[in-house]
Amino acid sequence: LKSNPSNNEEKEAQTQLTKSDELQRLHSQALSAYQQEDYEAAISLLDEILAVCVWDAELRELRAECYIKEGEPSKAISDLKAATKLKNDNTEAFYKISRIYYQLGDHELSLSEVRECLKLDQDHKQCFSLYKQVKKLNKQIESAEEFIREGRYEDAISKYESVMKTEPEVPIYATRAKERICHCLSKNQQATEAIKLCTEVLQLEPTNVNALKDRAEAYLLEDLYEE
């Protein structure tokens, strides 16, 4: 505005300056909403800013935090993935993505993301701690599935019991383990135990197709055709 006050450019510059002031105002409101734990309002304000400031990694990370608080993990992952590309050596974003996938029960993607963090910083304490946990769990699940493919159902049951001990805090792993143990029991002709365990899973997830099929197989073993 100062260096080139020709009419046309002045108008354009003035418009940009007004827009800039407006974005700063929205930014202050978004931070205020976040601090007051009004995450829905913060997301709405950040949407407006990010429509213009597309490449701002920190704003994307803030919106991801809001999505996490609002229980929308997949949207948080999307913003955090963008932040890993927009900011160099963004170990924090990789760590958060890995944690979200882990909480969702996707141990394989969790392992992949935490490895990306350790590629950037092999001494990152949080990432290394998470990596050890996910790697151990991943190995146990892979081993259990291998036993199932080989028809070694007792070994698979034992391995899935270890999975539940390895991760007692995140419920989805216990549910998945019980679902697979029920499958093993059904295949192993242990109908009563299979029915009991599959019923436990179906109380948590009434539409779990695998548990329904395995319980049906167990009912057949007991000649309970109506069930």
Side-chain angles (χ1 to χ4, degrees):
L1 278 167
K2 286 175 182 170
S3 70
N4 202 341
S6 80
N7 204 16
N8 199 16
E9 285 173 355
E10 186 179 353
K11 206 170 172 183
E12 169 64 13
Q14 193 62 57
T15 305
Q16 294 288 5
L17 191 60
T18 307
K19 190 188 277 187
S20 162
D21 290 343
E22 170 66 4
L23 288 169
Q24 284 180 322
R25 188 181 63 77
L26 289 172
H27 187 216
S28 297
Q29 286 180 341
L31 288 173
S32 173
Y34 177 77
Q35 280 151 7
Q36 288 164 20
E37 299 182 10
D38 185 352
Y39 303 116
E40 200 177 330
I43 289 167
S44 176
L45 290 158
L46 289 165
D47 286 347
E48 279 189 71
I49 307 168
L50 280 160
V52 182
C53 307
V54 185
W55 315 116
D56 193 314
E58 268 149 32
L59 289 178
R60 285 190 178 274
E61 285 175 17
L62 181 61
R63 188 168 67 176
E65 280 299 311
C66 295
Y67 281 136
I68 291 166
K69 301 283 189 191
E70 284 288 286
E72 297 195 68
S74 57
K75 288 183 179 177
I77 286 171
S78 173
D79 266 343
L80 287 166
K81 284 199 167 178
T84 63
K85 293 181 174 71
L86 293 168
K87 193 157 87 182
N88 286 338
D89 299 344
N90 198 343
T91 51
E92 196 55 35
F94 280 118
Y95 172 70
K96 284 179 182 172
I97 296 168
S98 180
R99 285 244 17 120
I100 295 169
Y101 276 134
Y102 187 72
Q103 296 292 325
L104 292 172
D106 200 328
H107 51 94
E108 287 169 333
L109 280 175
S110 175
L111 189 59
S112 164
E113 295 295 332
V114 81
R115 277 182 175 139
E116 290 301 317
C117 171
L118 290 170
K119 275 184 202 170
L120 295 170
D121 178 6
Q122 61 187 28
D123 299 321
H124 193 290
K125 279 186 181 166
Q126 286 175 307
C127 284
F128 187 65
S129 171
L130 181 61
Y131 171 71
K132 282 199 299 186
Q133 175 71 3
V134 186
K135 192 181 176 196
K136 183 180 178 183
L137 192 77
N138 198 53
K139 200 172 176 189
Q140 287 174 333
I141 292 169
E142 280 180 353
S143 176
E145 288 301 312
E146 186 61 37
F147 285 143
I148 289 172
R149 284 191 290 276
E150 292 169 1
R152 294 167 60 186
Y153 299 117
E154 292 290 343
D155 290 333
I157 289 167
S158 170
K159 195 58 81 173
Y160 268 119
E161 283 168 350
S162 299
V163 167
M164 289 192 276
K165 289 193 187 98
T166 297
E167 185 41 86
E169 303 294 322
V170 184
I172 194 162
Y173 293 107
T175 307
R176 288 289 156 274
K178 285 176 182 176
E179 177 198 306
R180 297 306 279 154
I181 291 170
C182 166
H183 174 74
C184 295
L185 290 166
S186 177
K187 289 283 183 193
N188 220 22
Q189 315 275 304
Q190 293 167 264
T192 312
E193 295 95 322
I195 291 164
K196 181 171 173 284
L197 206 55
C198 270
T199 302
E200 259 185 64
V201 173
L202 288 161
Q203 280 164 351
L204 296 166
E205 298 178 351
T207 56
N208 185 315
V209 175
N210 293 328
L212 285 166
K213 287 197 298 188
D214 288 322
R215 189 169 68 173
E217 290 291 336
Y219 280 141
L220 284 175
L221 292 169
E222 295 283 279
D223 299 335
L224 296 167
Y225 302 119
E226 287 294 326
E227 284 87 338

